[in-house]
Amino acid sequence: MALDAGNAPEEFRAHPDWRDPVPSIADAPSLGVGLRRAREVSGKSLAQLSAITRVPQKYLTALEQGEHSALPSRVFTLGYVRAYAGALGLDEQLAVERYKREAPDGDKIAPLQPPAGVAFAEVRRHSPRVIAAVAALVIAVVGWNVFQRVSHMRSPPPAVISETPESWTLGAVPGQTQGLTEISLDVPRPAPPDQTVPVMYLTPGLEAELLGLDPADADAAAALADATSRRDAPVQAAFNPRGAVYGAAAADSQVTLQARRPTSLVVRLSDGRVLFARQLAAGEAWRAPIGVPATIDASEPALIGVYLNGESDGALPGQLTPLNQLNARAATLARQAQAQAEAEARAEAARRAAAAAAEAPAAGPALTPTATPTTTPAAPLPAGAAPSPATPAAG
């Protein structure tokens, strides 16, 4: 902080490098006069001091001229005074105290100014018009909607029924006017069992009549009954591969195990070696070879479906199942299917033979050629012998 030197001795003034000290603010009639004198002694202009102190030049001029009304608020003005005095080499604190004494009510003289660039007066002047326009628009929209709703409202049409029908009365029965009738409920019955497509009804003797079979023929009747019983038997579900199929080829296997849901399957040979072991996913299957003694080990046998000769045979009977047992059952079913096919073939042959026999009489009696009698020349008879009556006479 610069010191206010005041008056110096004469011997100092006689020195060639002597410069008059900055005039003291205390000796000046006012703060503005003291600042102006100090600026003139320093030889600097207001523009230079404005660049040094970063204070607008108009505020420096107002400080020198004592125009307190042109200065900003008191807080900013005190900062400008301190910066201006420091740039001129004056006592900053003394300059601030001098300004406070000369302008004790500076806040009332220079109140805080509103922010520049915001025209609050214009906003307040146009606010009533904007509010009135928005209110008018809202009222117009609401009024239009109410008008549309009222104009489309229709009064309910008059009832065409002069009186309430008797059947509409709660609890009434047409023709009965003695009030409500009591309804008694018996014991609830059990739900009906699951049903499938009913078996086709066959009229006894109708097929034999249509096929032309003789009811007295025992072989034809047995073939017809066997074919009818097979036709009435339900068809089992066929094997449908829905994933990877492991094991033997399709031509070398009669038993197929398929996982209905994810489960484990282990197949061990009779000597303990593992033939197949895998965690099957849903839909994956394993074809068992023919003639291999092994045991099927399933952690959840109900999840393993068994298919014999391509048709479903239910699930595994237990956790441990001999493979030979399944192969033997598959072979038995295969023989039965072959016998059924042969029986059907015989029944078809008998039907065709009966049809052919039925068509033969309708063609009429067959014409059989008659033999033309031939005459054989008789041997010459001896003289005096009469001809035999059995021998025809030669014509």
Side-chain angles (χ1 to χ4, degrees):
M1 182 179 63
L3 297 177
D4 194 356
N7 295 326
E10 293 296 334
E11 59 270 17
F12 291 159
R13 294 178 180 272
H15 195 275
D17 295 334
W18 169 258
R19 294 182 59 186
D20 291 335
V22 179
S24 175
I25 298 178
D27 298 337
S30 65
L31 175 63
V33 175
L35 293 175
R36 184 173 66 254
R37 290 178 181 178
R39 177 178 60 80
E40 292 174 353
V41 171
S42 65
K44 298 178 182 179
S45 63
L46 288 174
Q48 294 176 347
L49 292 173
S50 176
I52 294 173
T53 60
R54 299 182 180 276
V55 177
Q57 185 176 348
K58 63 178 182 177
Y59 293 149
L60 298 180
T61 303
L63 286 175
E64 291 183 357
Q65 296 178 359
E67 297 178 355
H68 301 289
S69 60
L71 295 173
S73 61
R74 189 177 184 85
V75 176
F76 293 102
T77 302
L78 293 177
Y80 295 163
V81 170
R82 188 184 300 275
Y84 197 14
L88 295 175
L90 300 175
D91 189 351
E92 300 176 4
Q93 187 63 30
L94 184 60
V96 170
E97 296 297 333
R98 183 72 182 270
Y99 176 79
K100 290 181 180 181
R101 290 195 302 269
E102 293 181 2
D105 298 330
D107 290 338
K108 296 181 181 180
I109 297 175
L112 291 175
Q113 302 295 329
V118 179
F120 291 101
E122 293 293 329
V123 174
R124 286 194 294 269
R125 185 165 59 89
H126 294 290
S127 295
R129 299 179 182 178
V130 174
I131 295 174
V134 173
L137 180 61
V138 172
I139 293 174
V141 172
V142 174
W144 174 257
N145 290 334
V146 172
F147 172 75
Q148 291 292 331
R149 183 176 296 274
V150 172
S151 62
H152 287 83
M153 292 178 59
R154 297 180 180 178
S155 59
V160 296
I161 302 177
S162 59
E163 60 182 4
T164 304
E166 185 181 359
S167 60
W168 290 9
T169 306
L170 181 61
V173 179
Q176 180 178 355
T177 59
Q178 284 79 10
L180 301 179
T181 58
E182 296 181 358
I183 301 176
S184 59
L185 299 177
D186 54 358
V187 180
R189 300 179 181 179
D194 294 339
Q195 299 179 0
T196 58
V197 178
V199 180
M200 182 178 61
Y201 175 75
L202 298 177
T203 304
L206 180 60
E207 289 195 357
E209 184 68 24
L210 295 176
L211 298 177
L213 299 179
D214 186 7
D217 189 355
D219 294 337
L224 180 61
D226 184 61
T228 303
S229 62
R230 287 195 307 273
R231 180 175 53 196
D232 296 341
V235 179
Q236 301 296 333
F239 171 68
N240 182 19
R242 292 181 285 108
V245 180
Y246 307 96
D252 300 335
S253 175
Q254 293 180 327
V255 178
T256 304
L257 305 179
Q258 187 179 34
R260 299 173 180 175
R261 285 189 294 178
T263 184
S264 61
L265 180 66
V266 180
V267 181
R268 295 184 178 87
L269 298 175
S270 56
D271 56 358
R273 292 180 299 168
V274 177
L275 178 62
F276 177 79
R278 190 176 182 85
Q279 180 72 22
L280 297 178
E284 294 184 345
W286 177 73
R287 290 194 182 101
I290 300 176
V292 176
T295 302
I296 302 172
D297 185 359
S299 59
E300 296 177 298
L303 301 182
I304 301 295
V306 180
Y307 292 86
L308 304 180
N309 301 319
E311 295 185 359
S312 176
D313 193 57
L316 286 175
Q319 186 174 0
L320 298 177
T321 305
L323 181 58
N324 291 336
Q325 179 181 353
L326 299 180
N327 282 326
R329 177 172 171 77
T332 302
L333 294 177
R335 289 193 298 268
Q336 292 178 358
Q338 184 177 1
Q340 292 177 1
E342 294 176 355
E344 289 180 357
R346 289 195 301 269
E348 181 66 18
R351 185 188 67 79
R352 293 182 178 180
E359 293 176 357
L367 298 177
T368 56
T370 58
T372 305
T374 58
T375 58
T376 303
L381 296 176
S388 174
T391 302

